[in-house]
Amino acid sequence: MTRRTKIVIATAFVAAVVFTVAAVLYERNSRQQAADQAAAQLDVMVRDHSPVIGPATAAVTIVEFFDPACEACRAFYPYVKQILAAHPREARLVIRYTPFHREASIVGVQVMEAARDQGRFEPVLEALLETQPVWASHEAPATERAWEFAEAAGLDRQRARSYIASGAVDKVLEQDVADLQAVGVRGTPTFFVNGKPLAELNPRSLFELVKSEAELARD
């Protein structure tokens, strides 16, 4: 190996190290900025209109910025259910709508909000998530099928259409979009537990953060 070759290799190695360090610092800085921004926006995390699963008096509030057409939200939901089941009196889930997948997201929110109006929120939510690959396919969404699946889960479709026509869902979506922009949400799902952002998007981290907040509340 010539001296020039050694220099080239050494230079490339140093450049790679510098790039890696810069990437790590950038990611860490981005997370901190998101945390700071979220901390400054605690008052917009939960609205009176937000769907809630769990006791209203729970000491631990999990806020999920959620898109019914999001595959990752679908994958996370069983773990969120497990966490709520592990803390039935201490934790609640607040859902904020994040319609990043446009038509499919909006239709999903419309169906879910109509179901909430009829007291069928959770059954319809679970039906939509179970059948998401059918009605919310990113390549060829078939949003009309969402209504079929929701109806099978107990939704009164005619009453739902009337509720949506009233404009109530539009107001919810308008506020949630404004709030997600204020908080700085850029992807789904995004979780906050008692205002603290979930640093790593994995079920174990969410479980540990909820557990920690529950223990603090007991002390």
Side-chain angles (χ1 to χ4, degrees):
M1 185 181 298
T2 65
R3 183 171 180 273
R4 182 175 181 180
T5 301
K6 290 180 180 179
I7 292 173
V8 170
I9 292 174
T11 302
F13 176 77
V14 170
V17 170
V18 170
F19 176 80
T20 301
V21 171
V24 170
L25 291 175
Y26 174 80
E27 182 180 356
R28 184 179 301 167
N29 186 53
S30 296
R31 286 201 303 266
Q32 186 59 49
Q33 286 181 346
D36 293 343
Q37 188 172 3
Q41 298 293 339
L42 285 178
D43 57 331
V44 304
M45 285 285 187
V46 180
R47 296 289 188 180
D48 291 339
H49 67 256
S50 302
V52 178
I53 299 175
T57 57
V60 181
T61 297
I62 306 166
V63 176
E64 178 181 0
F65 285 85
F66 170 90
D67 185 339
C70 164
E71 295 168 344
C73 293
R74 177 177 185 255
F76 248 90
Y77 183 71
Y79 299 107
V80 174
K81 280 191 68 175
Q82 290 175 15
I83 291 170
L84 293 176
H87 302 278
R89 293 182 297 276
E90 297 171 305
R92 64 173 181 158
L93 172 69
V94 176
I95 291 178
R96 304 304 306 274
Y97 297 122
T98 313
F100 284 164
H101 292 288
R102 300 181 183 179
E103 179 194 356
S105 304
I106 292 171
V107 170
V109 171
Q110 289 175 336
V111 173
M112 289 169 60
E113 280 297 288
R116 184 156 68 109
D117 178 62
Q118 298 178 25
R120 300 294 298 168
F121 183 79
E122 287 186 60
V124 169
L125 164 64
E126 294 189 1
L128 290 186
L129 290 178
E130 181 180 351
T131 60
Q132 184 195 83
V134 177
W135 66 269
S137 166
H138 297 173
E139 290 76 24
T143 53
E144 189 60 29
R145 299 293 307 278
W147 290 101
E148 297 175 18
F149 299 130
E151 198 169 21
L155 182 73
D156 181 329
R157 193 190 298 206
Q158 184 173 354
R159 180 178 161 190
R161 298 285 194 187
S162 298
Y163 181 72
I164 292 168
S166 73
V169 181
D170 294 336
K171 293 178 181 178
V172 168
L173 271 171
E174 182 180 357
Q175 185 64 67
D176 278 17
V177 168
D179 288 346
L180 74 88
Q181 291 172 347
V183 173
V185 172
R186 298 177 180 84
T188 53
T190 293
F191 292 95
F192 296 88
V193 179
N194 284 353
K196 299 176 181 178
L198 184 65
E200 297 181 14
L201 187 59
N202 62 69
R204 173 52 58 183
S205 295
L206 181 59
F207 179 84
E208 292 297 336
L209 184 53
V210 171
K211 180 183 177 183
S212 173
E213 288 298 305
E215 291 173 349
L216 285 174
R218 295 188 204 116
D219 295 341

